[in-house]
Amino acid sequence: MMNAENPGRPTILFLCVENSCRSQIAEAYAKTLLSDICDSYSSGSKPSGQVNPKAIASMDRAGYDMNRHTSKPIDELPTKRFDIAITMGCGDFCPDIKAGHSEDWAIPDPKHLNSSEFDQIRDQIKNRVEDLRTLLLQSA
């Protein structure tokens, strides 16, 4: 199902339990790297209510201001079915979302890492989003 707000554009949802680090970073990169070809969202099964300050700082070092991002629950999402749902590696605790395609990226949780290690996880997520762009363009 395509996005009701923008028919013809695929929708991608990045999921994690708290929606405070990995899924937020993935959404940020999708908004910068994929905004011309799809709409992207992030959400959590048990959102923390705030974006992790380490994630905000890490994305700031990468040139993206994540201060306006918010940690949100699944029931606040604008669409009920997504073309692609990507979990970040939170195992059995990740929510089950109906999507045309689902996959797990198995990204380690960076919330307890130092800045340098956190940035490595951020860069890993960026690489995965860039790969996703390539796949989306090939299938268009």
Side-chain angles (χ1 to χ4, degrees), residues 1 5-6 8 28 30 36-37 44 68 91 94 100 114-115 122 125 133 138-139:
M1 178 178 186
E5 295 173 4
N6 291 305
D36 60 328
I37 57 174
R68 293 187 184 173
C94 273
N114 66 40
S115 295
R122 177 204 65 208
I125 293 169
R133 178 178 177 77
Q138 288 174 348
S139 67

Side-chain angles (χ1 to χ4, degrees), residues 82-111:
F82 290 84
D83 296 297
I84 302 170
I86 298 172
T87 53
M88 297 287 112
C90 39
D92 295 338
F93 300 108
C94 273
D96 183 30
I97 294 289
K98 295 194 185 307
H101 173 76
S102 297
E103 64 182 81
D104 183 67
W105 282 359
I107 306 283
D109 189 347
K111 69 180 172 185

Side-chain angles (χ1 to χ4, degrees), residues 9-127:
R9 288 174 57 91
T11 55
I12 299 174
L13 175 62
F14 298 98
L15 293 157
C16 208
V17 175
E18 294 182 355
N19 187 226
S20 65
C21 280
R22 296 168 287 178
S23 55
Q24 289 286 341
I25 292 169
E27 179 187 11
Y29 277 124
K31 286 189 179 303
T32 59
L33 300 171
L34 306 177
S35 65
D36 60 328
I37 57 174
C38 69
D39 294 318
S40 57
Y41 305 89
S42 71
S43 185
S45 56
K46 295 179 184 174
S48 67
Q50 67 178 8
V51 177
N52 186 310
K54 287 183 176 182
I56 293 170
S58 180
M59 289 303 289
D60 188 55
R61 288 189 293 275
Y64 183 94
D65 181 2
M66 223 166 55
N67 283 301
R68 293 187 184 173
H69 282 232
T70 58
S71 175
K72 53 204 156 300
I74 295 164
D75 60 359
E76 288 184 12
L77 294 171
T79 61
K80 298 297 179 195
R81 180 171 169 82
F82 290 84
D83 296 297
I84 302 170
I86 298 172
T87 53
M88 297 287 112
C90 39
D92 295 338
F93 300 108
C94 273
D96 183 30
I97 294 289
K98 295 194 185 307
H101 173 76
S102 297
E103 64 182 81
D104 183 67
W105 282 359
I107 306 283
D109 189 347
K111 69 180 172 185
H112 298 297
L113 300 177
N114 66 40
S115 295
S116 175
E117 294 166 327
F118 200 107
D119 290 352
Q120 290 174 17
I121 298 297
R122 177 204 65 208
D123 294 345
Q124 182 180 351
I125 293 169
K126 179 182 181 188
N127 291 338

